[in-house]
Amino acid sequence: MLNNIKFISADEAVKVVKSGDHIHLSSVASAPKVLIDALMRRGDAGELKDVRIHHLHTEGGAPYTDAKYEGIFFHQAFFVGGNVRKSVQAGYADYIPIFLSETQKLYRSGVLPCNVAMIQVSPPDKHGFVSLGTSVDATLAAIECAEHVIAVVNKNVPRAWGDAMIPTSMIDYFVECDGLLEPAHFTAPDEIESAIGKNCAELIEDGACLQMGIGAIPNAVLAQLGNHKNLGIHTEMFADGVLPLVEKGIINGANKVIDKGKMVSTFLMGSQTCYDFIDDNPMVRMMDVAYTNDPFIIAKNPRVTAINSALQVDITGQVCADSLGTKFFSGVGGQVDFIYGASLSERGKAIIAMPSVTNKGISKIAPVLTSGAGVVTTRNHIHWFVTEYGAVNLYGKSLQERAKLIISIAHPEHREELDKAAFERFGPHYHFVG
Ligand code: COA
């Protein structure tokens, strides 16, 4: 017993799951491993069939996507993370294309049922509140809508403030387990990523409110912001890269209009240091994704600068960020929410930044997207486009002007062939575009 809470074992708790149920798991570092393992034991015992599992990206294992659970568990991801990528590509798991801002709406509107929400929380405080820590995102909506809520109470879950704080009365079953949260692993930016970081940093004004997407680029950008002033954070996720800038007072939220002086996010993906940073930190508000990712809320702050990455961009500015041809690699996530929000913000800048070539030397800028590739950010939404060779603003530019600008920052070895393709596509006038 802790603060009048009665703990039961994970095996007992997952008995509430029935065949045909939809389960939501809290995200990223907060995936409730002990409950997942107990659920797999019920699967192994042949007690369940056709159970659907939903979540954003999670760190750690995703055993329910294993081929041996065919007909028992079926994962329908809201974002294809590294641990489910192979299974999605092989057809043992699936993906629901959905803007991150609307993942919560799937539950709240009843489009997706949530029978059981499985979450991790910090131990209850003297007021009977626990914190969802690193995963508020669609998890709060799942808790509100679920028939049953099972929470792992874990002293390693940071006591994050904001919407993350919920009363214990929202939870039906408590399981105690103090496992460390899964850390995310990052490598130091290489030469190309650093050049991209520098080109992005030149676009970031003092007083900007930043959102950084997922992938290798965000840390490379943050590493270049040591001489900036009065930066703010309103994002869907952040990682360790922001911490030195907070320590130096460069990130202080002073120029924000909403959540002045606070950093706002909906999930976190970082090292233990990052999780410790949000623990009982009044500067950080971990909020519902309906708030963090609403483009019209994002746009309330001035100079919102959103930096997201891409897998492929065509010469008209169509951005593919979720698939390599027909093979799903990730998802739309919050890219469009923030690209659009930044473009609506006063002096905002929406940036797509990527290396010009892959690690195998293939041009990521292509005359047309690979067959089957999905458009995440449309050619109507794209504004700034950055590679290691520079930054170009495509907003208000014609198709032929865009092609010239995009090709001007392609890898030099690929510029000629891209130019030839543009000429073939657009015709004789292309030669005269300035
Ligand atoms: N053709 C062939 N292969 C390509 C390719 C292309 N055009 N572009 C990338 N690849 C390969 C890379 O070589 C790499 O392969 P590897 O794993 O064998 O090394 C892999 O695809 C991943 O590419 P990389 O550039 O390392 O990706 P990243 O980790 O920097 O992530 C995105 C980039 C686009 C996938 C990521 O930003 C994303 O998921 N975005 C969508 C969601 C989003 O933006 N959310 C916003 C806020 S979180």
Side-chain angles (χ1 to χ4, degrees):
M1 294 279 275
L2 175 69
N3 290 17
N4 293 327
I5 282 175
K6 184 173 170 271
F7 289 110
I8 58 174
S9 71
D11 288 301
E12 235 177 298
V14 302
K15 280 186 189 156
V16 297
V17 177
K18 306 179 300 299
S19 290
D21 273 358
H22 288 247
I23 297 177
H24 175 88
L25 304 180
S26 48
S27 318
V28 196
S30 266
K33 186 173 181 313
V34 66
L35 299 179
I36 296 170
D37 291 346
L39 191 64
M40 295 308 106
R41 285 194 283 278
R42 287 201 63 196
D44 291 333
E47 293 173 12
L48 293 168
K49 59 179 185 184
D50 196 26
V51 172
R52 294 184 190 222
I53 298 181
H54 308 290
H55 56 72
L56 281 71
H57 138 236
T58 58
E59 295 289 320
Y64 39 84
T65 63
D66 196 297
K68 75 173 180 177
Y69 290 122
E70 213 177 350
I72 299 173
F73 300 117
F74 190 53
H75 174 47
Q76 293 176 320
F78 298 155
F79 186 84
V80 182
N83 60 356
V84 300
R85 193 165 291 141
K86 275 202 183 120
S87 303
V88 170
Q89 291 176 0
Y92 293 110
D94 202 358
Y95 164 59
I96 299 177
I98 185 85
F99 296 123
L100 200 73
S101 55
E102 294 186 11
T103 50
Q104 49 79 30
K105 200 169 163 190
L106 289 177
Y107 294 131
R108 289 184 173 129
S109 66
V111 166
L112 270 191
C114 183
N115 305 96
V116 185
M118 296 188 181
I119 62 173
Q120 280 208 82
V121 297
S122 64
D125 64 18
K126 62 183 178 187
H127 304 291
F129 277 73
V130 294
S131 174
L132 297 172
T134 58
S135 167
V136 183
D137 45 67
T139 297
L140 182 57
I143 294 167
E144 285 169 16
C145 301
E147 289 161 28
H148 307 283
V149 178
I150 309 174
V152 176
V153 178
N154 179 346
K155 68 175 185 331
N156 293 306
V157 171
R159 248 179 64 85
W161 290 27
D163 291 340
M165 285 289 182
I166 60 165
T168 48
S169 56
M170 289 177 84
I171 297 166
D172 303 300
Y173 304 98
F174 297 87
V175 172
E176 199 171 21
C177 183
D178 289 332
L180 281 177
L181 297 193
E182 277 298 329
H185 302 286
F186 300 100
T187 49
D190 62 20
E191 210 179 308
I192 292 174
E193 287 154 3
S194 296
I196 295 169
K198 207 156 170 258
N199 290 337
C200 290
E202 281 168 16
L203 296 177
I204 298 172
E205 297 174 35
D206 288 339
C209 181
L210 303 179
Q211 174 262 341
M212 307 272 173
I214 198 163
I217 306 295
N219 280 343
V221 178
L222 290 162
Q224 304 286 339
L225 300 179
N227 293 320
H228 278 66
K229 290 190 192 71
N230 298 328
L231 299 177
I233 298 284
H234 181 113
T235 184
E236 69 190 37
M237 59 159 282
F238 67 82
D240 293 49
V242 301
L243 304 185
L245 298 175
V246 176
E247 262 168 42
K248 288 182 192 146
I250 293 168
I251 290 176
N252 57 16
N255 199 42
K256 287 175 88 174
V257 167
I258 54 166
D259 305 300
K260 205 176 183 67
K262 312 272 185 226
M263 295 167 64
V264 172
S265 189
T266 195
F267 66 85
L268 270 203
M269 198 174 135
S271 70
Q272 188 60 44
T273 316
C274 195
Y275 306 147
D276 291 343
F277 169 73
I278 69 163
D279 185 46
D280 250 328
N281 187 344
M283 186 185 178
V284 181
R285 301 186 75 207
M286 293 295 290
M287 301 298 286
D288 193 319
V289 74
Y291 180 81
T292 57
N293 281 46
D294 179 330
F296 297 98
I297 291 175
I298 292 166
K300 285 187 181 176
N301 280 313
R303 298 182 202 191
V304 172
T305 306
I307 304 172
N308 292 278
S309 199
L311 292 168
Q312 195 177 42
V313 172
D314 78 6
I315 55 173
T316 69
Q318 296 195 97
V319 177
C320 170
D322 60 3
S323 69
L324 294 166
T326 53
K327 287 209 178 309
F328 270 86
F329 185 86
S330 66
V332 53
Q335 182 166 124
V336 176
D337 300 333
F338 276 96
I339 289 285
Y340 187 47
S343 69
L344 296 176
S345 142
E346 189 195 331
R347 292 182 63 174
K349 285 187 185 140
I351 302 172
I352 295 290
M354 67 171 198
S356 64
V357 289
T358 68
N359 41 16
K360 296 184 185 75
I362 303 166
S363 178
K364 286 165 70 87
I365 296 174
V368 291
L369 296 180
T370 304
S371 176
V375 175
V376 163
T377 292
T378 74
R379 55 168 79 100
N380 316 295
H381 286 105
I382 193 168
H383 285 217
W384 284 93
F385 177 52
V386 173
T387 70
E388 68 275 28
Y389 293 103
V392 292
N393 190 354
L394 306 176
Y395 189 62
K397 297 289 191 283
S398 72
L399 294 172
Q400 298 190 23
E401 287 168 335
R402 281 162 181 243
K404 283 265 171 184
L405 288 168
I406 292 170
I407 295 167
S408 75
I409 58 167
H411 193 284
E413 276 178 19
H414 295 282
R415 286 182 199 165
E416 198 180 323
E417 76 203 49
L418 289 167
D419 228 19
K420 199 161 158 259
F423 176 71
E424 278 165 15
R425 177 167 179 173
F426 297 121
H429 182 71
Y430 178 72
H431 274 324
F432 299 101
V433 175

